[in-house]
Amino acid sequence: MKNQVCSKCTEGTYSLGSGIKFDEWDEMPAGFSNVATFMDTAVGSVENKADSCNNSSWTPRGNYIESNRDDCTVSLIYAVHLKKSGSVFFEYQYVDNNIFFEFFIQNDQCKEMESTAEKWVKLTDNGEWGSHSVTLKSGSNILYWRTTGILMGSKVVKPVLVKNITIEGVAYTSECFPCKPGTYSDKPGSSGCQECPRNTYSEKGAKECTKCKEEIYYSEEGSSACIERPPCTNKDFFQIHTPCDKEGKTQIMYKWIEPKICREDLPDALTLPPSGERKECPPCNPGFYSNASSSCTPCPQGMFSDGTQECKACPAGTEPALGFEYKWWNILPSNMKTSCFNVGNSKCDGMNGWEVAGDHIQSGAGGSDNDYLILNLHIPGFKPPTSVTGATGSELGRITFVFETICSADCVLYFMASRQFINDVAKIYSITVTNAVDGVASSCRACALGSEQSGSSCVPCPVGHYIEKESSQCKECPDNTFLSIHQVYGREACIPCGPGSKSTKDHSACFSDCLVSYIKDNQTLSYDFSNLSQVGSLMSGPSFTSRGTKFFHFFNISLCGNEGKKMAICTDNITDVTLKDMVAESEDFSNFVGAFVCQSTIIPSDSKGFRTALALQSNSLADRFLGATIETTLENISVKTDTFPPSPSKVPDVHFFYKSSTATTSCEDGRAAVVTMRCNPNKPDQGELSVPSSCPAGTCDGCIFYFVWESAEACPLCTEQDYHEIEGACKKGFQEKEDHFESVQLKSSRSQNI
């Protein structure tokens, strides 16, 4: 500062010039503050709620800072004065949409800056760090990282993590920052510090890293101290199987998990078991054959094998059922790889991810309790059987795996395994992939044969066609049936549509055309629900969480759809619960649901201090139409007589039944929905949608949702039986006649062209 010139920072320190960086979170850095509030004013006294958030704050965790896990609103605030326009950059993990995560900027008059229009931070994948940057104007900038948890039930939210906050545009620094422990800078004028290698450490402001006494101590990358090596246990080594030799034998080998951190010379320490025991090799996996060699080879195209026999050609009229089935784990298959990475950014690349163990493959030992152990299976694409190439709605492929988790805490198996504690383990016994493009075959399946001119090769069936068993030819499904997505062989592949529904032209689904008829007392009653075919909406509630946060259940119902197209739309993080805005903004949000019936949870704008209503947890309650009938049961879904109050009219209700194929933890068979259409002449036009009074969320068990839609449009159309002729007096030689509707029938029928 004396001579007003820029000087290089010395070794052991660094500077960003006109920037500052926060990458050390052992404690809250100077200038950062926490403000916790409970701004919901729905239930109870404000004082009690304010007190309940006294202990909520962002918490430093070493390499990063972690948000609160409760339903308080907590802001991490940092005020900075910029001499010139600049920017703020940070890395974050945000995986749980039960938390709202905002980043916004205010000026010193507490007015929100224009650059914060997109203040909602996007979700990241599990274990991955995302980055967020915003331009800053010169002058005072107050930065807010704000989280609000929405706790539905007892579920614990996963907190937001933030690290490496960098701000550019501040006044030129008058001091250099010392390197944080575990890092060093060995050259003058450094703009950052390097991480110490494994088995070394450094204290604050280090010019170099100091080696650990490796016989007794060890350290990970970026360590600030050395750790004493523990005695070796059976968790420190693993066994592998060598490739099969020409005699069909495999050797069991034991290896230390690298890098080895344990000591064998301590009391009670285990030593490495002797390697070399020979055992019979397991058979090849289905679709492979040994060919009298030491390795398994995939069967040639058009052939199949169960793994124990030589490959055979598929008979005429069949084709190989391509895919992969892995149930023997002698070596890792060539299209799999395994790796490891760490949430806190401490490396675990040298660790084992997953290890083969004969009849299963298991997650290995990582370096810490925050490791993600990844098993990657590469499938270049999916191709359905030739015969169903043109079928719409048929699934492209299916991945199935049999697994178990042995955990001492809450561990999660994604297609990626995340462990809470270092000794937890996940095992996968078999992985099956169907319809893989480069797959092998363990069996053959029937296929459709072409005409005599095209020979006996398999041909694709047109859309909506099944394979006739007798002739192996393609045949169209009958009217009002749809083609099963799981099979196309035999007439039974065409499944009849339910009552009050018809099939689409391509036999991919059944739909309602909004016209329903049934016979009662030798009289045909006809309904036309076309005027109710637009999406109906219902907001039920309010409900309250255990801490008093107010929320509503918002439902969209597409009664008939549009020839099978699901028209009801729900999406997360909406600012307005109108259909127009949902469609317009749907591309901006990750959770976008189209269904016959869908549901969102709405947090109103008067809760939590939000300026607009927010939606979360959007899901489909119904993606398949089953049928419309006056019967109260269809496909094991029933409407109880006491679900709704009795109808004021004598006209029976018409029930629209729907199903969702997506299974949940509590609904193994998926969810279902029933929309009861009730004739009520006193409710014209769109009428009124409601849920059972005993189940204000629309469901009592979480699996079947009930709605009643009362409207004059739900009354049957008038027929000739609904009116009679009255003869009037003679006037000038003519007799007057009038048509009068029966007053009883008039209450429950709609006049149309009569």
Side-chain angles (χ1 to χ4, degrees):
M1 292 298 291
K2 289 177 183 176
N3 51 18
Q4 294 291 297
V5 294
C6 297
S7 305
K8 286 187 176 181
C9 288
T10 59
E11 298 165 357
T13 66
Y14 75 99
S15 165
L16 296 175
S18 61
I20 48 177
K21 184 175 185 177
F22 300 97
D23 57 1
E24 194 174 345
W25 298 96
D26 295 316
E27 58 185 12
M28 192 70 79
F32 281 88
S33 60
N34 272 293
V35 175
T37 55
F38 199 106
M39 291 185 282
D40 196 323
T41 57
V43 177
S45 68
V46 176
E47 291 79 12
N48 291 343
K49 288 184 179 177
D51 293 342
S52 69
C53 290
N54 285 344
N55 297 323
S56 299
S57 70
W58 286 76
T59 309
R61 298 289 187 199
N63 284 331
Y64 52 85
I65 188 168
E66 180 181 281
S67 74
N68 55 309
R69 296 170 183 257
D70 53 30
D71 52 356
C72 295
T73 297
V74 183
S75 297
L76 178 68
I77 305 172
Y78 185 78
V80 63
H81 189 81
L82 266 59
K83 292 291 185 183
K84 59 179 182 179
S85 58
S87 64
V88 56
F89 167 89
F90 61 91
E91 294 179 79
Y92 69 94
Q93 273 193 37
Y94 173 33
V95 298
D96 193 338
N97 64 1
N98 290 296
I99 291 182
F100 289 121
F101 180 29
E102 310 166 77
F103 175 72
F104 58 95
I105 304 148
Q106 290 183 348
N107 59 20
D108 48 11
Q109 277 82 45
C110 294
K111 185 179 178 184
E112 214 163 294
M113 312 279 266
E114 294 175 7
S115 59
T116 60
E118 297 180 5
K119 65 180 183 178
W120 300 108
V121 182
K122 293 182 179 178
L123 289 165
T124 61
D125 291 330
N126 278 291
E128 291 188 7
W129 290 95
S131 62
H132 190 85
S133 61
V134 178
T135 56
L136 300 176
K137 293 181 178 179
S138 60
S140 294
N141 290 264
I142 306 169
L143 314 180
Y144 290 83
W145 291 263
R146 185 163 79 172
T147 58
T148 303
I150 307 296
L151 300 187
M152 302 292 174
S154 59
K155 183 180 178 183
V156 178
V157 296
K158 293 182 180 177
V160 175
L161 313 182
V162 171
K163 69 174 183 178
N164 293 342
I165 298 175
T166 306
I167 302 170
E168 291 280 358
V170 298
Y172 289 110
T173 183
S174 58
E175 60 178 334
C176 298
F177 297 100
C179 291
K180 71 173 184 176
T183 66
Y184 71 100
S185 69
D186 56 359
K187 294 176 184 175
S190 295
S191 61
C193 301
Q194 296 172 266
E195 220 174 32
C196 285
R198 194 183 298 275
N199 292 329
T200 68
Y201 74 98
S202 74
E203 296 176 349
K204 196 167 189 173
K207 300 177 183 178
E208 60 182 5
C209 300
T210 307
K211 284 190 175 181
C212 301
K213 292 182 179 178
E214 290 197 31
E215 304 82 22
I216 306 173
Y217 299 96
Y218 77 99
S219 72
E220 303 292 343
E221 289 101 337
S223 294
S224 58
C226 296
I227 306 167
E228 193 170 348
R229 293 181 183 270
C232 293
T233 69
N234 59 1
K235 301 291 183 183
D236 293 303
F237 60 83
F238 64 99
Q239 71 174 47
I240 61 169
H241 296 68
T242 61
C244 294
D245 57 25
K246 292 182 179 178
E247 298 176 16
K249 303 278 187 180
T250 179
Q251 283 185 299
I252 298 176
M253 311 293 287
Y254 293 92
K255 289 189 175 184
W256 291 113
I257 290 170
E258 295 295 340
K260 183 185 173 190
I261 62 170
C262 65
R263 290 175 61 185
E264 300 173 69
D265 57 349
L266 292 174
D268 300 326
L270 294 182
T271 56
L272 197 66
S275 297
E277 181 187 354
R278 300 180 77 204
K279 284 188 172 181
E280 289 288 333
C281 279
C284 292
N285 279 309
F288 292 80
Y289 71 108
S290 64
N291 199 20
S293 66
S294 59
S295 61
C296 292
T297 308
C299 283
Q301 192 172 1
M303 303 184 81
F304 71 100
S305 168
D306 63 359
T308 62
Q309 300 175 339
E310 290 186 5
C311 301
K312 299 176 183 175
C314 285
T318 66
E319 63 179 334
L322 295 180
F324 291 107
E325 184 180 353
Y326 299 113
K327 57 183 181 180
W328 300 110
W329 302 94
N330 205 41
I331 58 171
L332 195 66
S334 59
N335 60 345
M336 287 190 193
K337 65 178 181 179
T338 180
S339 58
C340 169
F341 78 87
N342 182 278
V343 176
N345 221 22
S346 59
K347 296 177 182 176
C348 67
D349 297 339
M351 308 289 178
N352 294 83
W354 288 69
E355 299 152 359
V356 293
D359 68 342
H360 67 274
I361 184 170
Q362 67 183 34
S363 55
S368 76
D369 293 338
N370 283 323
D371 291 336
Y372 280 76
L373 305 175
I374 304 165
L375 181 66
N376 182 290
L377 168 62
H378 179 70
I379 305 290
F382 292 94
K383 181 184 178 222
T386 305
S387 302
V388 294
T389 301
T392 58
S394 63
E395 63 182 39
L396 290 176
R398 183 174 291 202
I399 298 176
T400 309
F401 51 95
V402 178
F403 71 97
E404 70 173 335
T405 52
I406 306 165
C407 301
S408 53
D410 177 24
C411 70
V412 185
L413 182 73
Y414 307 93
F415 264 128
M416 190 190 289
S418 158
R419 300 151 336 123
Q420 274 305 107
F421 293 108
I422 202 166
N423 290 335
D424 294 347
V425 65
K427 296 181 179 181
I428 295 179
Y429 290 91
S430 66
I431 300 177
T432 305
V433 184
T434 64
N435 299 343
V437 165
D438 62 346
V440 293
S442 61
S443 62
C444 302
R445 61 182 151 216
C447 65
L449 296 176
S451 60
E452 294 180 8
Q453 291 82 7
S454 62
S456 62
S457 59
C458 299
V459 297
C461 282
V463 172
H465 286 60
Y466 68 96
I467 304 170
E468 191 180 45
K469 289 181 178 178
E470 293 75 22
S471 64
S472 291
Q473 301 289 317
C474 297
K475 203 161 190 182
E476 186 176 4
C477 280
D479 288 342
N480 294 330
T481 65
F482 68 98
L483 190 63
S484 166
I485 64 171
H486 299 298
Q487 66 156 352
V488 293
Y489 191 58
R491 168 67 179 77
E492 58 270 24
C494 302
I495 302 170
C497 291
S501 67
K502 56 176 65 175
S503 65
T504 55
K505 292 178 183 176
D506 60 5
H507 298 281
S508 61
C510 298
F511 72 96
S512 168
D513 58 3
C514 276
L515 303 176
V516 179
S517 297
Y518 74 95
I519 299 174
K520 180 194 174 191
D521 300 332
N522 294 325
Q523 181 184 1
T524 300
L525 290 182
S526 300
Y527 295 82
D528 184 351
F529 299 111
S530 301
N531 291 339
L532 300 177
S533 63
Q534 297 299 315
V535 175
S537 298
L538 166 66
M539 185 95 81
S540 72
S543 300
F544 301 93
T545 66
S546 57
R547 289 281 290 271
T549 299
K550 180 167 64 174
F551 66 94
F552 295 85
H553 291 292
F554 177 71
F555 301 95
N556 267 329
I557 297 174
S558 170
L559 188 67
C560 309
N562 181 9
E563 290 207 2
K565 293 178 184 175
K566 300 176 277 286
M567 306 298 287
I569 295 170
C570 296
T571 185
D572 281 4
N573 285 3
I574 56 171
T575 55
D576 187 359
V577 291
T578 61
L579 182 65
K580 178 184 175 184
D581 286 348
M582 286 182 184
V583 175
E585 300 181 21
S586 61
E587 296 178 1
D588 300 336
F589 303 107
S590 56
N591 198 354
F592 171 71
V593 174
F596 287 109
V597 183
C598 63
Q599 175 196 32
S600 293
T601 302
I602 303 292
I603 310 296
S605 57
D606 59 356
S607 289
K608 299 291 183 188
F610 294 129
R611 297 177 186 175
T612 52
L614 294 168
L616 70 158
Q617 299 173 337
S618 297
N619 48 57
S620 167
L621 305 181
D623 54 28
R624 185 162 67 92
F625 175 63
L626 301 181
T629 173
I630 62 168
E631 302 296 331
T632 55
T633 300
L634 184 64
E635 292 195 22
N636 298 323
I637 303 167
S638 296
V639 184
K640 296 178 182 176
T641 53
D642 59 351
T643 303
F644 296 105
S647 173
S649 72
K650 297 179 180 179
V651 177
D653 298 330
V654 178
H655 309 289
F656 280 68
F657 290 85
Y658 306 90
K659 192 93 171 68
S660 172
S661 54
T662 306
T664 65
T665 308
S666 54
C667 312
E668 293 181 359
D669 296 328
R671 295 187 179 100
V674 184
V675 181
T676 296
M677 306 304 295
R678 175 166 288 180
C679 171
N680 189 333
N682 298 320
K683 295 188 177 179
D685 302 327
Q686 288 297 297
E688 182 183 3
L689 264 165
S690 59
V691 292
S693 57
S694 57
C695 310
T699 178
C700 292
D701 61 2
C703 297
I704 303 180
F705 290 75
Y706 296 100
F707 308 90
V708 63
W709 197 334
E710 295 182 82
S711 170
E713 297 290 336
C715 295
L717 302 177
C718 292
T719 66
E720 291 182 0
Q721 284 81 13
D722 293 322
Y723 68 94
H724 64 94
E725 195 174 77
I726 298 176
E727 294 183 353
C730 287
K731 290 183 180 179
K732 298 181 180 179
F734 293 95
Q735 186 178 37
E736 293 180 350
K737 291 185 180 181
E738 295 181 11
D739 290 340
H740 284 262
F741 284 101
E742 293 284 354
S743 59
V744 175
Q745 287 291 341
L746 184 60
K747 291 181 180 178
S748 57
S749 300
R750 293 158 55 204
S751 61
Q752 184 161 319
N753 300 329
I754 294 178

